[in-house]
Amino acid sequence: MVTRDEAEKLFKKYNKSESLYHHALAVEAVMREYAKKTGEDPEYWGIVGFLHDIDWEMFPEEHCRKAPELLKEIDMPDDMIHAICSHGWGLVSDVEPEREMEKILYTIDELTGLVNATALMRPERIEGMGVKSVKKKWKTKGFAAGVNRELIEKGSELSGIAIDDLIQTTIDAMSGIKDQIGLNKPE
């Protein structure tokens, strides 16, 4: 299997943006949390989450289509590549999320963006943030307008996980790495 170090090197080869790196770390953390909850391999799920946007910065017009070529540089297995490509299903990819891990990745990719944006609006950032805060911002369509709420709802249906549970798990996982992703409470 691909190691986390190999994943990090590949990510940094094709992505220089700090915000994209923070997003990759956030998605990785949430995927690891869900792997633990479902009795799956957190390392496997985490690497898929971390590399899901491998082609985003340098090849945005080919997002999820350029990824397989880049991922082959580290001999990533086809099942991991399928999972990564499936997160863009219906938007930039025809690869449908089939496995539980893929359905969760599909859903939380967007959700981490909404949780992040909500946290940045709070003086204490993610510290003490609850589902209610995120749901309040969810209703304001102009807030984090780039976050596709319909996709999160569709992912919730696909995965069979209630939106409140998705939000809480995302908050919990991102809270665990708040210092790494810039969501720690300012001094």
Side-chain angles (χ1 to χ4, degrees):
M1 188 172 91
V2 173
T3 67
R4 179 58 173 75
D5 285 342
E6 290 171 318
E8 180 99 15
K9 286 177 188 159
L10 187 69
F11 182 89
K12 289 185 173 180
K13 178 178 177 181
Y14 291 104
N15 298 279
K16 307 299 180 207
S17 161
E18 183 180 38
S19 64
L20 189 58
Y21 182 66
H22 287 175
H23 173 66
L25 291 173
V27 172
E28 174 186 24
V30 179
M31 291 299 289
R32 285 179 180 277
E33 187 64 29
Y34 270 107
K36 291 176 199 165
K37 283 182 172 232
T38 58
E40 297 292 337
D41 180 2
E43 190 70 9
Y44 180 94
W45 283 42
I47 288 171
V48 167
F50 181 72
L51 288 175
H52 80 283
D53 278 342
I54 187 65
D55 58 3
W56 176 250
E57 188 172 320
M58 290 183 76
F59 308 99
E61 290 81 28
E62 297 177 77
H63 184 43
C64 293
R65 293 186 306 279
K66 185 76 171 173
E69 176 187 330
L70 305 181
L71 295 165
K72 284 296 182 184
E73 289 181 31
I74 56 172
D75 296 322
M76 182 165 271
D78 289 340
D79 59 331
M80 292 176 99
I81 292 172
H82 183 276
I84 287 168
C85 293
S86 76
H87 91 275
W89 179 56
L91 301 171
V92 295
S93 169
D94 293 334
V95 179
E96 187 171 346
E98 298 165 354
R99 296 177 292 157
E100 184 175 22
M101 174 189 65
E102 295 169 345
K103 294 171 185 178
I104 291 170
L105 175 62
Y106 175 79
T107 308
I108 59 107
D109 178 30
E110 291 290 310
L111 184 55
T112 57
L114 184 62
V115 169
N116 187 72
T118 302
L120 289 173
M121 297 302 296
R122 303 172 75 243
E124 58 281 336
R125 300 291 191 252
I126 203 162
E127 212 170 281
M129 188 167 85
V131 172
K132 187 177 175 183
S133 296
V134 176
K135 290 197 86 172
K136 184 177 177 185
K137 294 293 186 183
W138 178 297
K139 294 175 187 171
T140 308
K141 297 301 178 199
F143 179 78
V147 172
N148 187 332
R149 288 139 169 92
E150 289 176 10
L151 190 148
I152 297 168
E153 291 168 346
K154 185 176 181 179
S156 170
E157 288 176 30
L158 277 175
S159 67
I161 303 170
I163 288 182
D164 285 8
D165 293 339
L166 287 162
I167 293 170
Q168 187 62 61
T169 300
T170 300
I171 291 169
D172 293 345
M174 290 174 67
S175 293
I177 61 162
K178 64 185 175 196
D179 294 343
Q180 293 174 268
I181 59 174
L183 293 182
N184 47 325
K185 184 178 175 181
E187 297 299 322

